[in-house]
Short mmCIF file of all heavy atoms in Angstrom, two decimals:
data_model
loop_
_atom_site.label_atom_id
_atom_site.label_comp_id
_atom_site.label_asym_id
_atom_site.label_seq_id
_atom_site.Cartn_x
_atom_site.Cartn_y
_atom_site.Cartn_z
N ARG A 1473 127.22 81.82 105.05
CA ARG A 1473 126.84 83.13 104.44
C ARG A 1473 125.56 82.94 103.60
O ARG A 1473 125.35 81.91 102.96
CB ARG A 1473 127.97 83.65 103.56
CG ARG A 1473 129.25 83.88 104.37
CD ARG A 1473 130.46 84.30 103.48
NE ARG A 1473 130.18 85.50 102.74
CZ ARG A 1473 130.26 86.73 103.23
NH1 ARG A 1473 130.59 86.90 104.52
NH2 ARG A 1473 130.06 87.80 102.49
N VAL A 1474 124.74 84.01 103.59
CA VAL A 1474 123.48 84.01 102.86
C VAL A 1474 123.59 84.99 101.69
O VAL A 1474 123.98 86.16 101.85
CB VAL A 1474 122.27 84.43 103.78
CG1 VAL A 1474 121.01 84.49 102.96
CG2 VAL A 1474 122.14 83.44 104.91
N PHE A 1475 123.15 84.48 100.55
CA PHE A 1475 123.15 85.31 99.31
C PHE A 1475 121.71 85.76 99.09
O PHE A 1475 120.71 85.02 99.25
CB PHE A 1475 123.59 84.50 98.13
CG PHE A 1475 123.45 85.20 96.79
CD1 PHE A 1475 124.46 85.98 96.29
CD2 PHE A 1475 122.32 85.02 96.04
CE1 PHE A 1475 124.37 86.62 95.05
CE2 PHE A 1475 122.15 85.71 94.80
CZ PHE A 1475 123.20 86.45 94.32
N LEU A 1476 121.54 87.08 98.75
CA LEU A 1476 120.25 87.63 98.43
C LEU A 1476 120.41 88.48 97.18
O LEU A 1476 121.39 89.16 96.98
CB LEU A 1476 119.70 88.51 99.53
CG LEU A 1476 119.61 87.89 100.95
CD1 LEU A 1476 120.76 88.43 101.76
CD2 LEU A 1476 118.31 88.28 101.61
N ALA A 1477 119.43 88.41 96.25
CA ALA A 1477 119.48 89.21 95.05
C ALA A 1477 118.04 89.60 94.64
O ALA A 1477 117.12 88.80 94.80
CB ALA A 1477 120.19 88.50 93.93
N MET A 1478 117.87 90.80 94.16
CA MET A 1478 116.67 91.22 93.46
C MET A 1478 117.12 91.76 92.10
O MET A 1478 118.17 92.40 91.95
CB MET A 1478 115.89 92.26 94.22
CG MET A 1478 116.49 93.64 94.25
SD MET A 1478 115.35 94.85 94.99
CE MET A 1478 115.81 94.68 96.76
N ASN A 1479 116.29 91.52 91.10
CA ASN A 1479 116.62 91.99 89.76
C ASN A 1479 115.54 92.97 89.26
O ASN A 1479 114.35 92.76 89.50
CB ASN A 1479 116.67 90.78 88.75
CG ASN A 1479 117.77 89.82 89.09
OD1 ASN A 1479 118.80 90.20 89.66
ND2 ASN A 1479 117.60 88.58 88.79
N VAL A 1480 115.97 94.02 88.60
CA VAL A 1480 115.07 95.02 88.03
C VAL A 1480 115.46 95.31 86.61
O VAL A 1480 116.42 94.71 86.06
CB VAL A 1480 115.06 96.33 88.89
CG1 VAL A 1480 114.57 96.03 90.31
CG2 VAL A 1480 116.46 96.93 88.93
N ASN A 1481 114.80 96.29 85.99
CA ASN A 1481 115.07 96.60 84.57
C ASN A 1481 114.94 95.39 83.64
O ASN A 1481 115.91 94.95 82.98
CB ASN A 1481 116.47 97.22 84.40
CG ASN A 1481 116.49 98.68 84.78
OD1 ASN A 1481 115.51 99.40 84.59
ND2 ASN A 1481 117.61 99.12 85.32
N PRO A 1482 113.71 94.78 83.53
CA PRO A 1482 113.56 93.61 82.69
C PRO A 1482 113.80 93.89 81.24
O PRO A 1482 113.63 95.01 80.80
CB PRO A 1482 112.10 93.20 82.98
CG PRO A 1482 111.41 94.45 83.37
CD PRO A 1482 112.48 95.21 84.19
N PHE A 1483 114.16 92.84 80.49
CA PHE A 1483 114.32 92.88 79.05
C PHE A 1483 115.29 93.95 78.60
O PHE A 1483 115.11 94.65 77.64
CB PHE A 1483 112.95 93.12 78.36
CG PHE A 1483 111.99 92.06 78.64
CD1 PHE A 1483 110.84 92.37 79.43
CD2 PHE A 1483 112.09 90.76 78.17
CE1 PHE A 1483 109.91 91.41 79.77
CE2 PHE A 1483 111.15 89.80 78.48
CZ PHE A 1483 110.04 90.10 79.24
N ALA A 1484 116.41 94.05 79.38
CA ALA A 1484 117.48 95.00 79.02
C ALA A 1484 118.24 94.52 77.79
O ALA A 1484 118.72 93.35 77.78
CB ALA A 1484 118.43 95.20 80.21
N ILE A 1485 118.36 95.35 76.81
CA ILE A 1485 118.99 94.97 75.52
C ILE A 1485 120.48 95.24 75.58
O ILE A 1485 120.86 96.40 75.92
CB ILE A 1485 118.35 95.79 74.33
CG1 ILE A 1485 116.80 95.53 74.31
CG2 ILE A 1485 118.95 95.45 73.02
CD1 ILE A 1485 116.07 96.44 73.41
N PRO A 1486 121.29 94.30 75.31
CA PRO A 1486 122.75 94.50 75.38
C PRO A 1486 123.23 95.69 74.55
O PRO A 1486 124.17 96.39 74.99
CB PRO A 1486 123.31 93.21 74.86
CG PRO A 1486 122.30 92.18 75.16
CD PRO A 1486 120.97 92.85 74.98
N ALA A 1487 122.64 95.97 73.46
CA ALA A 1487 123.08 97.09 72.61
C ALA A 1487 122.83 98.44 73.27
O ALA A 1487 123.45 99.40 72.89
CB ALA A 1487 122.32 97.03 71.28
N SER A 1488 122.00 98.45 74.31
CA SER A 1488 121.74 99.71 75.01
C SER A 1488 122.11 99.63 76.51
O SER A 1488 121.48 100.26 77.34
CB SER A 1488 120.25 100.08 74.90
OG SER A 1488 119.85 100.20 73.51
N SER A 1489 123.11 98.86 76.80
CA SER A 1489 123.44 98.56 78.18
C SER A 1489 123.73 99.84 79.01
O SER A 1489 123.44 99.88 80.22
CB SER A 1489 124.64 97.62 78.26
OG SER A 1489 125.75 98.19 77.61
N SER A 1490 124.28 100.85 78.38
CA SER A 1490 124.61 102.06 79.13
C SER A 1490 123.40 102.87 79.56
O SER A 1490 123.51 103.85 80.30
CB SER A 1490 125.57 102.93 78.32
OG SER A 1490 124.94 103.34 77.11
N THR A 1491 122.24 102.51 79.06
CA THR A 1491 121.05 103.29 79.36
C THR A 1491 120.24 102.76 80.55
O THR A 1491 119.28 103.36 81.01
CB THR A 1491 120.09 103.35 78.16
OG1 THR A 1491 119.53 102.05 77.94
CG2 THR A 1491 120.81 103.85 76.93
N TYR A 1492 120.66 101.60 81.09
CA TYR A 1492 119.89 100.98 82.18
C TYR A 1492 120.60 101.33 83.52
O TYR A 1492 121.78 101.13 83.72
CB TYR A 1492 119.84 99.48 82.05
CG TYR A 1492 119.14 99.09 80.75
CD1 TYR A 1492 119.84 98.68 79.64
CD2 TYR A 1492 117.76 99.10 80.70
CE1 TYR A 1492 119.20 98.31 78.46
CE2 TYR A 1492 117.09 98.75 79.52
CZ TYR A 1492 117.80 98.33 78.43
OH TYR A 1492 117.16 98.01 77.24
N ARG A 1493 119.78 101.94 84.39
CA ARG A 1493 120.34 102.41 85.67
C ARG A 1493 119.33 102.16 86.77
O ARG A 1493 118.16 101.79 86.50
CB ARG A 1493 120.73 103.86 85.58
CG ARG A 1493 119.56 104.78 85.20
CD ARG A 1493 120.05 106.21 84.99
NE ARG A 1493 120.96 106.34 83.87
CZ ARG A 1493 120.61 106.54 82.58
NH1 ARG A 1493 119.36 106.67 82.33
NH2 ARG A 1493 121.49 106.62 81.67
N TYR A 1494 119.68 102.47 87.99
CA TYR A 1494 118.80 102.43 89.13
C TYR A 1494 118.32 103.83 89.47
O TYR A 1494 119.01 104.78 89.19
CB TYR A 1494 119.53 101.86 90.35
CG TYR A 1494 120.21 100.52 90.11
CD1 TYR A 1494 121.51 100.49 89.63
CD2 TYR A 1494 119.56 99.33 90.35
CE1 TYR A 1494 122.14 99.24 89.36
CE2 TYR A 1494 120.14 98.09 90.09
CZ TYR A 1494 121.46 98.08 89.57
OH TYR A 1494 122.08 96.87 89.34
N SER A 1495 117.15 103.91 90.00
CA SER A 1495 116.58 105.27 90.33
C SER A 1495 117.22 105.83 91.57
O SER A 1495 117.14 105.14 92.63
CB SER A 1495 115.05 105.18 90.45
OG SER A 1495 114.61 106.45 90.92
N PRO A 1496 117.73 107.03 91.54
CA PRO A 1496 118.25 107.64 92.75
C PRO A 1496 117.12 108.08 93.72
O PRO A 1496 117.37 108.45 94.83
CB PRO A 1496 119.02 108.84 92.25
CG PRO A 1496 118.45 109.17 90.88
CD PRO A 1496 117.97 107.86 90.30
N ASP A 1497 115.87 107.97 93.25
CA ASP A 1497 114.73 108.35 94.08
C ASP A 1497 114.18 107.15 94.86
O ASP A 1497 113.38 107.33 95.78
CB ASP A 1497 113.62 108.92 93.24
CG ASP A 1497 113.98 110.23 92.58
OD1 ASP A 1497 114.71 111.01 93.23
OD2 ASP A 1497 113.51 110.48 91.44
N PHE A 1498 114.56 105.96 94.47
CA PHE A 1498 113.93 104.76 95.04
C PHE A 1498 114.78 104.19 96.18
O PHE A 1498 116.01 104.29 96.24
CB PHE A 1498 113.80 103.64 94.00
CG PHE A 1498 112.79 104.01 92.94
CD1 PHE A 1498 112.74 103.21 91.74
CD2 PHE A 1498 111.96 105.10 92.98
CE1 PHE A 1498 111.88 103.52 90.71
CE2 PHE A 1498 111.05 105.43 91.99
CZ PHE A 1498 111.02 104.63 90.83
N LEU A 1499 114.08 103.52 97.13
CA LEU A 1499 114.68 102.78 98.19
C LEU A 1499 114.44 101.28 97.91
O LEU A 1499 113.31 100.83 97.85
CB LEU A 1499 114.05 103.13 99.55
CG LEU A 1499 114.47 102.21 100.76
CD1 LEU A 1499 115.96 102.30 101.03
CD2 LEU A 1499 113.65 102.59 101.99
N TYR A 1500 115.55 100.55 97.69
CA TYR A 1500 115.48 99.09 97.44
C TYR A 1500 115.76 98.38 98.76
O TYR A 1500 116.79 98.71 99.39
CB TYR A 1500 116.49 98.72 96.39
CG TYR A 1500 116.37 99.44 95.04
CD1 TYR A 1500 116.93 100.71 94.85
CD2 TYR A 1500 115.70 98.85 93.98
CE1 TYR A 1500 116.82 101.37 93.66
CE2 TYR A 1500 115.61 99.50 92.74
CZ TYR A 1500 116.10 100.80 92.57
OH TYR A 1500 116.03 101.43 91.39
N GLU A 1501 114.93 97.43 99.12
CA GLU A 1501 115.12 96.75 100.48
C GLU A 1501 114.96 95.26 100.33
O GLU A 1501 114.07 94.74 99.66
CB GLU A 1501 114.10 97.28 101.45
CG GLU A 1501 114.25 98.73 101.90
CD GLU A 1501 113.30 99.08 102.96
OE1 GLU A 1501 112.14 99.41 102.69
OE2 GLU A 1501 113.69 99.05 104.17
N PHE A 1502 115.87 94.54 101.01
CA PHE A 1502 115.66 93.15 101.33
C PHE A 1502 115.12 93.08 102.77
O PHE A 1502 115.68 93.72 103.62
CB PHE A 1502 117.01 92.36 101.26
CG PHE A 1502 117.60 92.27 99.91
CD1 PHE A 1502 118.63 93.16 99.56
CD2 PHE A 1502 117.15 91.40 99.00
CE1 PHE A 1502 119.21 93.08 98.32
CE2 PHE A 1502 117.75 91.31 97.71
CZ PHE A 1502 118.77 92.17 97.39
N LYS A 1503 114.00 92.35 102.95
CA LYS A 1503 113.37 92.28 104.22
C LYS A 1503 113.44 90.81 104.73
O LYS A 1503 113.09 89.91 103.96
CB LYS A 1503 111.95 92.79 104.17
CG LYS A 1503 111.89 94.27 103.78
CD LYS A 1503 110.51 94.87 103.94
CE LYS A 1503 110.51 96.37 103.72
NZ LYS A 1503 109.18 96.99 103.92
N ILE A 1504 113.83 90.67 105.98
CA ILE A 1504 114.01 89.32 106.56
C ILE A 1504 113.21 89.20 107.84
O ILE A 1504 113.37 90.03 108.75
CB ILE A 1504 115.50 89.04 106.80
CG1 ILE A 1504 116.35 89.07 105.57
CG2 ILE A 1504 115.72 87.72 107.54
CD1 ILE A 1504 116.98 90.45 105.23
N ASP A 1505 112.33 88.22 107.88
CA ASP A 1505 111.62 87.91 109.06
C ASP A 1505 112.24 86.68 109.70
O ASP A 1505 112.32 85.58 109.09
CB ASP A 1505 110.13 87.59 108.66
CG ASP A 1505 109.40 86.74 109.73
OD1 ASP A 1505 109.69 86.94 110.91
OD2 ASP A 1505 108.50 85.94 109.33
N ASN A 1506 112.74 86.79 110.97
CA ASN A 1506 113.40 85.65 111.59
C ASN A 1506 112.59 85.11 112.78
O ASN A 1506 113.13 84.36 113.59
CB ASN A 1506 114.83 86.03 112.02
CG ASN A 1506 114.89 87.24 112.94
OD1 ASN A 1506 113.96 87.48 113.73
ND2 ASN A 1506 115.95 88.03 112.84
#
């Protein structure tokens, strides 16, 4: 099995954890060239 991860929302402060979200307007993609 292959694991893939991308991280966004840098420098997220734990005290404000409920304010960090993903954009419903964006398309996030993993791209693989084989």
